């Protein structure tokens, strides 16, 4: 078991889940993961890009258990550029489409129930919606990426408020991407173009910035998503640096996860056993990095047990870590 320990905290690598696949026990460019109320996981396969960058095939949402059991998939070909996932208090699944400028929602069983959203830059309109997240009152925060703002809606799509604006100053945003809400109702936004994460109050007041100057240990390059655990530690998917950077609640850099999947997932093993030649292809990555390291990590979610689930779009899998609570540093008598 691979372990990362720092500042009285330790993270243990648990497993890899999934593989590159067009159907069944696999994913195609997984970009987001969300936790259902029963503890199972929804995984968004963005699909393969066709001519002109339009995603042509294998777009879908899979539902799986932490034990690698496939429950089913749905939403096939119902999106163009699907991006974010979020689960409401009544266990409805919401998904954003940055090309169609809408939010669709589904029942827990995968029945499409409807959608809302209209293209534009006025209040309540959307341009390139990406990350989405619910707060404790079931209001939905939508990262309105191409409008460089965050908008807050009811789950039925009624506009409540918005904030942001293009720029690099406090409270301004540049092509923001992921978003999450902590237990206190504060909102964290992955400010992609500004290489930072900003923390806001629920009504948009700037509170804190995560990132830091290059070379200071907590610097970021194109952060794509963010999550917060039960103890307030913040996890940022550092897409450009191929890692997950961990901060404490005050924005101090603690540690980083770089990927530890040194063995095939359960689903990948099934393919390997039936076709040993797949091993060579599976290991043949563009920059020849070791198999276990992250390759284009994108999305992140944390469940009620503080297990951290990270999507890898290129490798078509999830990597799962567990945070050990009440960790004590070993004592040595020399």
């Amino acid at each position: 078991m691979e372990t990362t320990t720092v500042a009285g905290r330790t993270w243990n690598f648990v497993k890899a889940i999934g593989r590159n696949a067009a159907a069944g026990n696999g994913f195609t460019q997984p970009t987001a993961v969300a936790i259902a109320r029963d503890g199972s996981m929804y995984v968004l396969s963005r699909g393969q890009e066709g001519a002109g960058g339009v995603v042509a095939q294998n777009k879908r949402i899979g539902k799986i258990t932490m034990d690698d059991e496939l429950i089913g998939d749905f939403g096939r070909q119902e999106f163009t550029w699907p991006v974010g996932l979020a689960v409401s208090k009544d266990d409805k699944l919401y998904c954003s489409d940055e090309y169609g400028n809408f939010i669709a929602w589904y029942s827990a069983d995968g029945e499409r129930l409807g959608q809302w959203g209209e293209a534009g830059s006025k209040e309540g309109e959307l341009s390139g919606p990406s990350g989405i997240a619910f707060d404790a009152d079931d209001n939905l925060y939508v990262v309105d990426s191409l409008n460089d703002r965050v908008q807050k809606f009811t789950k039925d799509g009624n506009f409540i408020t918005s904030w942001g604006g293009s720029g690099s100053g406090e409270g301004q945003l540049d092509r923001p991407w992921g978003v999450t809400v902590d237990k206190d109702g504060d909102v964290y936004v992955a400010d992609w173009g500004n290489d930072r994460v900003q923390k806001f109050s629920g009504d948009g007041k700037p509170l804190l910035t995560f990132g830091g100057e290059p070379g200071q240990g907590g610097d970021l390059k194109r952060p794509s998503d963010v999550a917060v655990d039960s103890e307030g530690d913040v996890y940022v998917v550092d897409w450009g640096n191929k890692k997950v950077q961990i901060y404490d609640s005050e924005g101090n850099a603690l540690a980083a996860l770089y990927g530890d999947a040194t063995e095939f997932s359960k689903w990948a093993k099934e393919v390997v056993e039936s076709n040993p030649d797949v091993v060579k292809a599976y290991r043949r990555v563009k920059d020849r990095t070791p198999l276990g390291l992250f390759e284009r990590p994108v999305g992140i979610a944390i469940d009620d047990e503080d297990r951290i689930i990270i999507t890898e779009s290129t490798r078509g899998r999830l990597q799962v870590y567990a945070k050990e609570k009440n960790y004590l540093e070993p004592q040595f008598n020399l």
Side-chain angles (χ1 to χ4, degrees), residues 13-186:
F13 175 76
V14 177
K15 64 166 68 177
I17 298 176
R19 59 182 177 86
N20 280 308
N25 299 337
F27 313 113
T28 304
Q29 300 289 329
T31 59
V33 57
I35 311 300
R37 298 297 162 183
D38 63 3
S40 60
M41 298 180 288
Y42 296 104
V43 182
L44 175 62
S45 285
R46 184 176 171 90
Q48 296 169 325
E49 290 191 1
V54 175
V55 180
Q57 57 184 344
N58 300 328
K59 301 179 290 287
R60 66 190 187 282
I61 300 169
K63 189 174 184 181
I64 63 173
T65 70
M66 189 64 73
D67 294 325
D68 301 9
E69 297 298 328
L70 176 67
I71 299 172
D73 59 28
F74 54 91
R76 284 184 171 273
Q77 308 304 107
E78 295 183 1
F79 302 91
T80 303
W81 288 342
V83 183
L85 296 176
V87 177
S88 64
K89 292 177 71 173
D90 59 355
D91 210 24
K92 302 297 190 301
L93 178 71
Y94 286 63
C95 181
S96 61
D97 188 315
E98 64 175 325
Y99 184 90
N101 297 304
F102 64 78
I103 309 295
W105 74 95
Y106 295 83
S107 70
D109 296 326
E111 178 188 358
R112 188 172 177 124
L113 301 175
Q115 70 179 56
W116 50 262
E118 183 177 352
S121 58
K122 297 178 182 178
E123 287 187 347
E125 296 178 338
L126 301 169
S127 182
S130 52
I132 55 178
F134 279 102
D135 65 13
D137 297 321
D138 241 10
N139 296 312
L140 186 68
Y141 292 87
V142 179
V143 176
D144 191 8
S145 186
L146 297 183
N147 283 323
D148 293 322
R149 66 185 179 186
V150 175
Q151 297 202 69
K152 182 179 180 180
F153 297 88
T154 67
K155 65 181 180 180
D156 298 319
N158 297 312
F159 173 78
I160 298 175
T161 189
S162 68
W163 70 84
S166 302
S168 58
E170 184 182 52
Q172 295 180 318
L173 300 164
D174 183 2
R175 292 168 293 160
W177 194 255
V179 64
T180 196
V181 183
D182 68 15
K183 61 184 180 182
D184 297 321
D186 293 328

Side-chain angles (χ1 to χ4, degrees), residues 258-273:
Y258 292 89
D260 293 289
T262 54
E263 296 184 1
F264 290 106
S265 70
K266 174 183 174 182
W267 294 345
K269 285 180 180 177
E270 294 175 358
V271 176
V272 171
E273 290 173 356

Side-chain angles (χ1 to χ4, degrees), residues 288-300:
R288 297 187 180 279
T289 54
L291 177 63
L293 298 181
F294 291 133
E295 178 70 16
R296 291 291 185 257
V298 181
I300 190 168

